[in-house]
Amino acid sequence: MADRVHPRDSSPASSPISSNNSGGVATGTQTKHVLPSPGTYVVQVPKDQIYRYPPPGNSRRYEALRKRKPRRSFCCRCVCYTFSLLLILIIALGITAAVLYLVFRPEAPKYTISEVAIKYFNLTSSSPVSPEFDVTIRAENPNNKIGIYYRKGSSVTVFYSDVRLTNGELPEFYQPTNNITVFQTPLKGSNVLLGNAVKTALRNEQKKGKVPFKVNIKAPVKVEVGAVKTWEITVKVKCDITVNTLTAKSKIISKDCKYSVGIW
């Protein structure tokens, strides 16, 4: 129970002598209590009640904060569990990939262009041209335990500068392990309009015996690992070739092929 001290005007003018020295002023051997100023009250409350029972105005806020703590801890646990599962999954995938690599030792297939025969490339006429390129492509699968399925939907195009001259596609076939496959792909162009500047440049380069072309190959494939086939993967090949003439007897005097694999 809290002690209440009344104002001086409602309490006796003096108080009895006390041996307790707290809250008073010592005069000789007696202690005289100091009263508060008129019209004021002093309420003494134990400390344990101050911390244990909040004021009525703050009780609702205290209860709301106390109820939120379990929700926050639940959300924190969910986030921790999710990150833990993701970490375990990433580690498992990494270990699986490492084991597969050590077992199968995969190597990227290699591609190159060995021959090019050019027909119907008339640079003297003012009409559009319809050239044909017979491109011989060499595909090598150096893997011991991996086969390659070449799927439908491939494309092979030939460019001079930024002008597309011909286009075609690769055949569908299966390439077994440790295999080299050479196939000829006919590429045809239809009504290709060449400007005067392009024709002049082609004639000058043909006189020099160095006519550059770009051959782009895009092939969707599936890789066979043991008895399992992967999803469809896109192989892209870009070759810069230079031929000596624009005839069926043309020869490749330089070539540089780069290839990449799109997993997704």
Side-chain angles (χ1 to χ4, degrees), residues 115-126:
E115 295 180 5
V116 175
I118 303 173
K119 295 179 290 185
Y120 312 121
F121 212 128
N122 188 0
L123 297 177
T124 59
S125 174
S126 59

Side-chain angles (χ1 to χ4, degrees), residues 182-258:
V182 179
F183 48 88
Q184 190 178 71
T185 303
L187 309 177
K188 295 182 180 181
S190 177
N191 296 324
V192 180
L193 184 61
L194 300 177
N196 293 328
V198 174
K199 289 182 179 180
T200 301
L202 283 169
R203 284 194 291 264
N204 293 335
E205 288 167 342
Q206 187 173 210
K207 289 179 182 179
K208 297 177 181 178
K210 294 181 180 181
V211 184
F213 293 104
K214 291 183 179 180
V215 182
N216 294 339
I217 303 172
K218 185 178 180 180
V221 301
K222 281 190 174 183
V223 177
E224 183 183 48
V225 182
V228 179
K229 290 182 182 179
T230 65
W231 57 91
E232 197 168 90
I233 299 172
T234 302
V235 176
K236 297 180 181 180
V237 184
K238 295 183 179 181
C239 292
D240 294 326
I241 63 173
T242 303
V243 298
N244 60 343
T245 183
L246 299 176
T247 63
K249 296 182 179 180
S250 61
K251 294 182 179 181
I252 298 176
I253 58 178
S254 67
K255 56 186 175 182
D256 180 23
C257 292
K258 299 178 181 179

Side-chain angles (χ1 to χ4, degrees), residues 23-262:
V25 179
T27 305
T29 59
Q30 297 181 351
T31 302
K32 184 178 180 181
H33 287 279
V34 179
L35 298 177
S37 59
T40 60
Y41 293 88
V42 177
V43 179
Q44 297 181 355
V45 181
K47 290 185 178 180
D48 56 349
Q49 292 186 12
I50 294 175
Y51 292 100
R52 189 174 302 171
Y53 304 103
N58 296 335
S59 60
R60 294 181 180 178
R61 186 181 300 175
Y62 172 77
E63 291 295 332
L65 291 175
R66 190 175 63 176
K67 291 179 179 179
R68 289 181 187 175
K69 290 182 179 179
R71 296 181 181 178
R72 290 183 180 178
S73 60
F74 176 75
C75 294
C76 291
R77 284 198 299 270
C78 290
V79 172
C80 291
Y81 291 153
T82 302
F83 278 107
S84 299
L85 290 175
L86 288 176
L87 181 61
I88 293 172
L89 180 62
I90 292 172
I91 293 174
L93 290 176
I95 294 174
T96 303
V99 171
L100 291 176
Y101 177 81
L102 293 175
V103 171
F104 294 100
R105 297 285 183 177
E107 296 184 40
K110 301 176 182 179
Y111 302 92
T112 187
I113 296 176
S114 55
E115 295 180 5
V116 175
I118 303 173
K119 295 179 290 185
Y120 312 121
F121 212 128
N122 188 0
L123 297 177
T124 59
S125 174
S126 59
S127 302
V129 297
S130 298
E132 293 185 6
F133 283 59
D134 291 333
V135 179
T136 302
I137 301 173
R138 182 179 184 270
E140 179 183 356
N141 179 14
N143 295 282
N144 295 325
K145 300 179 181 180
I146 297 177
I148 302 175
Y149 286 89
Y150 287 83
R151 310 274 294 175
K152 186 178 180 181
S154 62
S155 64
V156 183
T157 54
V158 177
F159 290 84
Y160 174 78
S161 186
D162 294 329
V163 181
R164 186 171 69 176
L165 301 175
T166 61
N167 62 279
E169 60 182 13
L170 300 176
E172 297 181 56
F173 67 98
Y174 170 72
Q175 188 174 26
T177 60
N178 290 321
N179 174 265
I180 297 176
T181 301
V182 179
F183 48 88
Q184 190 178 71
T185 303
L187 309 177
K188 295 182 180 181
S190 177
N191 296 324
V192 180
L193 184 61
L194 300 177
N196 293 328
V198 174
K199 289 182 179 180
T200 301
L202 283 169
R203 284 194 291 264
N204 293 335
E205 288 167 342
Q206 187 173 210
K207 289 179 182 179
K208 297 177 181 178
K210 294 181 180 181
V211 184
F213 293 104
K214 291 183 179 180
V215 182
N216 294 339
I217 303 172
K218 185 178 180 180
V221 301
K222 281 190 174 183
V223 177
E224 183 183 48
V225 182
V228 179
K229 290 182 182 179
T230 65
W231 57 91
E232 197 168 90
I233 299 172
T234 302
V235 176
K236 297 180 181 180
V237 184
K238 295 183 179 181
C239 292
D240 294 326
I241 63 173
T242 303
V243 298
N244 60 343
T245 183
L246 299 176
T247 63
K249 296 182 179 180
S250 61
K251 294 182 179 181
I252 298 176
I253 58 178
S254 67
K255 56 186 175 182
D256 180 23
C257 292
K258 299 178 181 179
Y259 47 89
S260 61
V261 178

